[in-house]
């Protein structure tokens, strides 16, 4: 089965709206969790990460908390900007840490 | 600081032609290296990864191959391209030592097979 499941997109929000992109994972151990962002025509950039339960990753106003009890790592931002328009990928490490399992990506468009 | 380069940035190739994409990393040694493909509107598919010179793991059977001739150089090749090879190819690296698992991505190569 899928190791990382993201909410389906596309998501369209008005500027200054609250953003949540859901991400859940399946794992037998305790993987590290990541959010990456991809702007059009570019590679992926690391947005934030969390390495153990209850860790909160944060960067550029985005936050995500590693919830072991619900196996989730939802991405949130209190007030989105037009410049946040991008595709967001949730990922977790494999048990060895050598590879990632990526979600399918969620496209976000923020309109003025 | 570390940087990762990919070239070419874009490529248009006819079906049946060969392919060579190159990825190099600067500022680190003995990185783990990865090749991903991203088809239009889709997620990332891991193609190959390498934990050292000459060590290649293939994740998906296909007509592509990878090589690592030097510590910080990773090459993706094909002898004969198919239409289905079109996509956005991303190279990534991560530190091989320690507990830091994040991967860092290059700018990508847009390949169109015609």
């Amino acid at each position: 089965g899928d190791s990382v499941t993201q909410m389906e997109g596309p998501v369209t929000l008005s500027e200054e709206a609250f953003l949540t992109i859901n991400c859940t994972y399946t794992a037998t151990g305790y993987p590290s969790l990541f959010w990456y962002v991809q702007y059009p025509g570019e590679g992926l950039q690391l947005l934030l990460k969390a390495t153990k339960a209850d860790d909160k990753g944060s960067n550029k106003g985005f936050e995500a908390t590693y919830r072991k009890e619900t196996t989730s790592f939802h991405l949130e931002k209190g007030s989105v900007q037009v410049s946040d328009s991008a595709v967001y990928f949730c990922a977790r490490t494999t048990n060895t840490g050598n590879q990632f399992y990526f979600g399918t990506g969620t496209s976000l468009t923020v309109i003025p | 600081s570390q940087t990762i380069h990919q070239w070419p940035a874009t490529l248009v190739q006819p079906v049946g032609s060969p392919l060579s994409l190159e990825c190099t990393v600067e500022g680190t040694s003995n990185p783990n290296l990865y090749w991903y493909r991203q088809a239009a509107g889709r997620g990332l598919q891991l193609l190959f990864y390498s934990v050292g010179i000459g060590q290649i793991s293939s994740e998906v059977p296909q007509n592509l191959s990878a090589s690592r001739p030097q510590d910080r150089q990773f090459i993706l090749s094909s002898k004969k391209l198919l239409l289905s090879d079109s996509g956005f190819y991303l190279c990534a690296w991560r530190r091989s030592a320690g507990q830091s698992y994040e991967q860092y991505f290059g700018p990508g190569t847009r390949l169109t097979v015609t």
Side-chain angles (χ1 to χ4, degrees), chain A residues 47-50 55-59 62-66 73 75:
Chain A
L47 183 59
L48 52 84
K49 67 175 184 179
D55 266 2
K56 178 185 282 189
S58 62
N59 186 25
F62 291 90
E63 292 183 341
T65 301
Y66 192 142
F73 193 53
L75 183 69

Side-chain angles (χ1 to χ4, degrees), chain A residues 7-15 17-19 80 85 106-112:
Chain A
M7 64 184 286
E8 291 286 333
V11 174
T12 303
L13 294 173
S14 297
E15 204 165 23
F18 184 86
L19 168 70
V80 293
S85 299
T106 302
S107 175
L108 170 67
T109 300
V110 181
I111 54 178

Side-chain angles (χ1 to χ4, degrees), chain A residues 32 34 36 38 41-44 46 49 89 93 96-100 102-104, chain B residues 32 34 36 38 43-44 46 49 51 59 88 90 94 100-103 105-107:
Chain A
S32 294
F34 304 85
Y36 281 83
Q38 185 179 32
E42 298 184 8
L44 276 68
L46 177 64
K49 67 175 184 179
F89 291 93
T93 51
T96 64
N98 275 342
Q99 299 176 52
F100 275 5
F102 279 96
T104 53
Chain B
N32 284 9
Y34 304 84
Y36 292 88
Q38 189 176 28
L44 291 148
L46 178 63
Y49 74 94
V51 298
E59 294 300 304
F88 192 47
L90 289 161
R94 80 159 182 89
S100 179
Y101 295 113
E102 54 263 39
Q103 294 182 19
F105 286 79

Side-chain angles (χ1 to χ4, degrees), chain B residues 85-107:
Chain B
D85 291 324
S86 293
F88 192 47
Y89 288 81
L90 289 161
C91 182
W93 73 275
R94 80 159 182 89
R95 292 178 179 84
S96 58
Q99 297 299 307
S100 179
Y101 295 113
E102 54 263 39
Q103 294 182 19
Y104 300 95
F105 286 79

